[in-house]
Amino acid sequence: MSQRIGRRDFIRNSAAASTLVSAAGMPMGKPAKVGNVAPSDQVVIGVIGIGRQGRYNMRKFLEHPECRVGAICDVYEPHLSQAHEDTGADKYQDFRHVLDRSDLDAVVISTPDHWHPLNTIMACQAGKDVYVEKPVSVTVQEGQKMVEAARKYKRVVQVGTQQRSGIHFQKAVKLIQDRALGQVTAVRSWNFGNSTPDGIGNPPDSAPPKGLDWDLWLGPAPKVPFNANRFGVHPDRWSTFRMFWDYAGGMMTDWGVHLLDIVQWAQQVDAPQTISASGGKFVLKDNRDTPDTLTTTLKYPGFICTYENRSGNNRAINEHGYGIEFYGTDATLFIDRRGFEIIPQQDRIDDRLVPRTYSMQMKDTNDHNFDHVDNFLECIKSRKLPTSDIEIGHNSTATCLMANISYLQGRRLEWDAVSKQFKGDAEASSQLARPYRAPWKLEV
């Protein structure tokens, strides 16, 4: 049975956080590696997808002297030219040519979401280790196949849920698992913004830009005319393909995966028991087909979790436009990428409510993107499972995909963790997979 903790006990249970900063006040996170590494000892990678996120990932890998880029790939020539100027690496438009290279140890996959499964599975089949961006897939079945491929071909597959390598995320998760908050019965997560009324805009269909292989960009997705928002490349924002069902899952999979990944890690669960999501495209006048407003309720053993997104009002919760709050019987913990804060509950002393006025604020003291890449490179050599192994990334992605199915079906769903189907709902279960456009096939 949970016991209420006193002030000293609470501070003692939370004291591990203080080890993040030395007595001199300097961060104790892992320093960047320096020095020369012999070419024969370097991990040689191919980068598949070198748009905004792909170039960022490539830079993080290049910060490691034990890593070098041997090949780059993108279906859009301007991306290739820019990355070639930065690296001098061999360039390709078709990722299959990268997989044919026998001199590459691993590939970094930062393609649009609908390509992640095929890129990953085919890389595993080609004997390459994989760093793949989140969400890992657009359907639950695809994620299951990715896990199967990693195990069958004995590949290291790291998912880009890099918060798991953040020191303050690790400290917060340990506090939660050590019951420093008491019993957590509710969790809230959210992303709020306001892009009214135009959102991402509503450009007409048109001819593809010069240098783009649109058919290859679509790949296994349905054949449709080129649209600038479906392609999504824009100098001032993240690619908007994320707002179309054919290629992604809207904010639920774009940001929800990051937040719910931490929830499931901290609470030591793999999947919800029931899922209920509702919302709609209520206010934005753009051509996205994913909702601009969404609320999801997930029931797990012993607690519930909500995820909320709104794009028409950016009023924050306690001055935070996004984040996670864990509500325990003894305290609340808020966390985002800047740090975490613990707000203890009030104690009853002599029949009077005495507020606890102290709190603890943690600041991130490491580059969790660098450390996430570092963990992947170490696992390539050790053959251990990485921090965000593909099975972990699949579980976090699948939770978000199930929420989208609940939204599209307009009803509450119950998940059977044994059969990997929705209980008594064949129609909803049919959305756990989707057909691929020929000649692409999802085969392990």
Side-chain angles (χ1 to χ4, degrees), residues 158-419:
Q158 173 89 296
V159 177
T161 44
Q162 72 276 7
Q163 294 175 161
R164 287 198 176 227
S165 291
I167 292 176
H168 79 278
F169 281 102
Q170 294 169 357
K171 294 294 182 180
V173 166
K174 187 175 189 306
L175 288 170
I176 294 167
Q177 293 179 352
D178 288 346
R179 298 178 69 86
L181 309 182
Q183 182 179 352
V184 174
T185 59
V187 185
R188 185 179 189 182
S189 60
W190 66 92
N191 295 102
F192 300 147
N194 192 337
S195 55
T196 56
D198 297 328
I200 61 175
N202 197 6
D205 293 344
S206 64
K210 183 179 178 179
L212 172 65
D213 187 335
W214 178 238
D215 186 70
L216 188 54
W217 188 96
L218 289 171
K223 180 74 171 178
V224 296
F226 173 83
N227 185 275
N229 275 352
R230 286 178 174 268
F231 178 43
V233 173
H234 191 281
D236 300 324
R237 66 189 182 197
W238 294 103
S239 296
T240 51
F241 70 81
R242 295 169 170 86
M243 303 306 166
F244 295 86
W245 295 123
D246 284 345
Y247 324 118
M251 287 295 289
M252 185 73 245
T253 58
D254 189 44
W255 257 102
V257 168
H258 277 308
L259 302 177
L260 296 180
D261 180 62
I262 299 301
V263 174
Q264 294 192 164
W265 177 23
Q267 295 292 93
Q268 299 175 287
V269 292
D270 293 331
Q273 296 169 312
T274 62
I275 309 100
S276 179
S278 61
K281 186 179 176 184
F282 297 135
V283 65
L284 298 183
K285 307 303 181 184
D286 55 24
N287 66 338
R288 78 179 68 201
D289 50 31
T290 55
D292 58 32
T293 307
L294 183 73
T295 297
T296 297
T297 301
L298 308 166
K299 182 181 181 296
Y300 295 87
F303 76 101
I304 60 169
C305 173
T306 61
Y307 171 75
E308 305 169 63
N309 170 246
R310 58 174 183 254
S311 302
N313 180 287
N314 64 0
R315 181 173 173 80
I317 296 177
N318 298 325
E319 301 182 352
H320 298 289
Y322 86 99
I324 314 168
E325 282 191 334
F326 294 85
Y327 303 103
T329 52
D330 297 323
T332 297
L333 185 148
F334 167 82
I335 190 166
D336 65 10
R337 290 181 178 175
R338 294 172 297 181
F340 70 81
E341 182 179 10
I342 298 172
I343 305 95
Q345 285 282 289
Q346 295 176 323
D347 278 345
R348 185 175 293 276
I349 301 175
D350 295 330
D351 295 325
R352 293 175 299 158
L353 286 177
V354 180
R356 288 179 164 182
T357 58
Y358 68 90
S359 65
M360 181 177 294
Q361 180 70 36
M362 290 296 301
K363 295 298 183 183
D364 195 0
T365 59
N366 72 316
D367 180 348
H368 51 252
N369 293 284
F370 178 92
D371 283 357
H372 207 55
V373 169
D374 189 57
N375 174 250
F376 175 58
L377 296 175
E378 289 177 354
C379 290
I380 288 176
K381 297 173 182 178
S382 70
R383 310 314 295 172
K384 294 180 180 179
L385 292 179
T387 298
S388 290
D389 173 63
I390 181 60
E391 188 168 2
I392 294 171
H394 161 61
N395 289 338
S396 301
T397 298
T399 295
C400 299
L401 294 174
M402 289 190 284
N404 276 340
I405 295 173
S406 174
Y407 163 76
L408 292 168
Q409 292 290 317
R411 58 181 176 274
R412 175 181 173 275
L413 302 174
E414 187 174 358
W415 181 244
D416 187 332
V418 177
S419 68

Side-chain angles (χ1 to χ4, degrees), residues 106-154:
V107 292
V108 179
I109 297 169
S110 306
T111 52
D113 302 353
H114 69 292
W115 263 114
H116 292 172
L118 275 179
N119 290 156
T120 299
I121 291 170
M122 293 175 71
C124 289
Q125 291 168 334
K128 307 290 190 287
D129 294 322
V130 178
Y131 184 105
V132 61
E133 267 300 329
K134 51 67 38 201
V136 303
S137 62
V138 178
T139 70
V140 173
Q141 182 201 53
E142 291 171 323
Q144 294 167 342
K145 294 288 187 181
M146 294 166 79
V147 176
E148 181 182 346
R151 304 299 183 250
K152 179 178 179 179
Y153 299 103
K154 297 179 172 56

